[in-house]
Amino acid sequence: MQRVLFAFLLLLHAASAHAQVDTTTSVAPDGAKIEPLVLWCRSGVGLGAVPCGGPANPLNVLASPFARAAKAFALPVSTTPQTYAIVQPAGTAAYRGLNPCPVDIVISSVAATAPVTTQPVVINGQTVPNVLQVTSPTGTVNQFEDTYFMARSGRVLASTANPMGGTTRYVSIMAVADPGATPCAFRLHYGGGS
């Protein structure tokens, strides 16, 4: 089984390496043109000058590995929606969420009303850097529609537009089940790549 998996991975790697540089148009037996498929793109332009989002790459698949722009934000979770204020690093187009918690969580950026009031976030007697808990009214996460992270999992997603504009982002988060007695914090990294 391991040999089969290894052979499959080698074929996949060879195919992707070829697709990265092959920008020629092929012709199907019925005479239709077949545009090249670019598996990887960087900064909006695919390798071989094939643009992301064009006919050769309609899904905007990114090539470069995720690179975080700053330290992670730690957002404590409970079954009651909590909203936190963070400053999203300028120019970041993606985020990586890591859920070390023993339960699934739901997260979303929300709008806040002005004036916004906040307080420091404390876990086990230590103040969490770069994160403030919002104590004034805000929108809240919707457990049925917003971004879902399975317990002890992570993934990279494109960063959506900030509902408030600017760099201050208000993030609402909740656990879908009781995380237990041990405080648990979702890790949020902003950066670029995939």
Side-chain angles (χ1 to χ4, degrees):
M1 181 65 179
Q2 289 179 340
R3 287 182 182 171
V4 172
L5 180 59
F6 180 71
F8 175 74
L9 291 175
L10 281 177
L11 287 172
L12 183 61
H13 176 70
S16 67
H18 177 70
Q20 289 177 6
V21 295
D22 183 6
T23 60
T24 59
T25 301
S26 301
V27 179
D30 65 358
K33 289 184 179 180
I34 302 173
E35 294 293 334
L37 172 64
V38 176
L39 296 178
W40 311 106
C41 297
R42 286 194 189 123
S43 302
V45 176
L47 297 177
V50 177
C52 290
N57 188 16
L59 299 179
N60 286 328
V61 180
L62 300 174
S64 54
F66 182 80
R68 58 180 196 187
K71 295 198 176 218
F73 300 106
L75 309 177
V77 295
S78 70
T79 53
T80 303
Q82 304 294 323
T83 301
Y84 299 100
I86 60 174
V87 176
Q88 181 176 344
T92 55
Y95 72 94
R96 177 175 60 194
L98 299 174
N99 180 13
C101 304
V103 296
D104 302 342
I105 67 100
V106 183
I107 187 168
S108 179
S109 290
V110 295
T113 56
V116 174
T117 57
T118 58
Q119 67 185 24
V121 178
V122 178
I123 299 178
N124 292 333
Q126 294 183 320
T127 301
V128 177
N130 305 320
V131 176
L132 295 170
Q133 185 170 4
V134 178
T135 55
S136 55
T138 67
T140 59
V141 69
N142 180 325
Q143 66 177 318
F144 302 108
E145 297 177 327
D146 290 323
T147 306
Y148 200 89
F149 282 87
M150 303 290 282
R152 295 190 171 95
S153 71
R155 58 185 170 148
V156 176
L157 298 167
S159 178
T160 58
N162 185 351
M164 298 294 293
T167 58
T168 300
R169 188 179 280 267
Y170 300 100
V171 179
S172 180
I173 186 169
M174 69 176 285
V176 298
D178 186 359
T182 305
C184 185
F186 181 78
R187 304 280 192 245
L188 182 63
H189 304 91
Y190 276 96
S194 58

